[in-house]
Amino acid sequence: MIPAERRQRILSLLRESEVISINALVEDLDVSHMTIRRDLQKMEEEGLVIQVSGGVQSAKRITDEPSHQIKTSLSSEENDRIGQLAASLIPNNTCIYLDAGTTSYAMCKYLANRSDLTIVSNDFAVMDYLMNHSEANLIHTGGLIRKQNYSAVGHLASDTISKLSIDFAFLSASSWDNRGITTPDMDKVVVKRAVAKACNKKILICDSTKYAKFATYVAIPLEDLDIIVSDSKLCDEAKKLASKSKVELMLA
């Protein structure tokens, strides 16, 4: 087989099985381990697959993001630990941004006693909690309302952010891989990019299940991140990718 045929065969096999071992591919395609690894490296660069320990799995495309209610029902102890660790990174007298998402919401209770902060967010649930439990200065971005996500997006939100100087931005994601943070919602892209431009340090906060998923729009390239805060279940491939991209990785 020529390389293109091998790669189509690999994709065909992955439609039948969620994960395939390198050894199984070597046997099926009758080529060397090195040849298979070169094929997988190329396919991973193209966003078709994700390499896992000893094998490969299909990359999972996200076509829409779950609602606030669904995200809340899926909230976990991992989110709470990530939120606590992320909150511990914030020095005194800083301006921070909390992106819309349940991990940002999990951070809130660890910021409730921080009267020294200015907190910017596009998340209405985050702001509601902080209005009732925190003495921090609060700035909501405003913007086009995404009712299902309790968030504000689009150019009105990004315009507000562009007028601010933010020290630490805590960015959420429903999907990330070797390309970086991706989203199926184009109106979220302008917000995340405005935050990335306005802040000194960009920190991705999300649990390990968000890795090896991707969506249509790349919001922030992986190499532009400074820190990823995730949980201890994060796979070895994600750890290697962070190291290769020179992004600091912190696991809660």
Side-chain angles (χ1 to χ4, degrees), residues 151-224:
S151 63
V153 297
H155 288 285
L156 289 174
S158 66
D159 286 348
T160 298
I161 293 165
S162 69
K163 295 177 175 65
L164 302 172
S165 177
I166 298 168
D167 298 303
F168 288 72
F170 295 90
L171 297 157
S172 63
S174 293
S175 54
W176 74 278
D177 60 8
N178 59 306
R179 286 159 289 204
I181 298 173
T182 58
T183 175
D185 188 343
M186 186 163 45
D187 287 319
K188 291 186 176 183
V189 174
V190 293
V191 175
K192 291 183 188 294
R193 289 181 180 174
V195 171
K197 188 173 181 180
C199 75
N200 292 326
K201 185 161 288 191
K202 297 173 283 294
I203 304 169
L204 172 61
I205 51 171
C206 65
D207 68 72
S208 56
T209 65
K210 307 305 191 302
Y211 177 68
K213 297 179 180 179
F214 72 101
T216 302
Y217 305 103
V218 178
I220 299 177
L222 183 62
E223 60 269 18
D224 286 356

Side-chain angles (χ1 to χ4, degrees), residues 106-152:
M107 286 182 65
C108 289
K109 70 178 180 180
Y110 298 105
L111 303 175
N113 63 346
R114 296 290 301 273
S115 60
D116 60 302
L117 301 177
T118 296
I119 302 176
V120 184
S121 183
N122 67 331
D123 188 306
F124 290 99
V126 164
M127 281 297 168
D128 180 66
Y129 184 95
L130 293 173
M131 282 190 294
N132 287 288
H133 298 92
S134 171
E135 297 299 320
N137 296 313
L138 305 176
I139 300 173
H140 195 282
T141 64
L144 177 67
I145 305 302
R146 284 285 185 266
K147 294 179 182 179
Q148 69 273 26
N149 297 128
Y150 287 20
S151 63

Side-chain angles (χ1 to χ4, degrees), residues 5 22 36 39 41 58 73 80 95 106 108-109 115 126 136 145 161 183 186 193 199 211 227 235 237 243 247 249:
E5 290 176 323
I22 300 292
I36 291 296
D39 284 339
Q41 181 64 37
S58 294
S73 70
D80 188 73
C95 177
C108 289
K109 70 178 180 180
S115 60
V126 164
I145 305 302
I161 293 165
T183 175
M186 186 163 45
R193 289 181 180 174
C199 75
Y211 177 68
I227 301 172
C235 66
E237 285 66 32
S243 176
V247 179
L249 181 63

Side-chain angles (χ1 to χ4, degrees), residues 3 6-7 10 22 31-46 49 51:
R6 284 198 307 272
R7 292 164 195 167
I10 292 170
I22 300 292
V31 293
S32 68
H33 279 76
M34 186 63 69
T35 297
I36 291 296
R37 292 191 181 279
R38 281 198 298 266
D39 284 339
L40 296 182
Q41 181 64 37
K42 179 66 175 178
M43 294 171 73
E44 188 170 49
E45 290 171 359
E46 294 173 352
V49 300
Q51 295 189 70

Side-chain angles (χ1 to χ4, degrees), residues 29 50 69 82 90 101 105 116 157 180 193 197 234-235 240:
L29 296 168
I50 296 292
Q69 288 86 351
I82 292 167
I90 305 170
Y105 188 82
D116 60 302
R193 289 181 180 174
K197 188 173 181 180
L234 190 67
C235 66
K240 292 175 185 175

Side-chain angles (χ1 to χ4, degrees), residues 1-17 20 24-31 36 39-40 43 48-49 56 58:
M1 291 184 183
I2 63 174
E5 290 176 323
R6 284 198 307 272
R7 292 164 195 167
Q8 283 301 317
R9 174 61 179 166
I10 292 170
L11 291 176
S12 177
L13 290 169
L14 283 171
R15 284 192 285 270
E16 300 171 6
S17 179
I20 301 176
L25 290 174
V26 167
E27 183 176 345
D28 184 277
L29 296 168
D30 193 24
V31 293
I36 291 296
D39 284 339
L40 296 182
M43 294 171 73
L48 299 172
V49 300
V56 63
S58 294

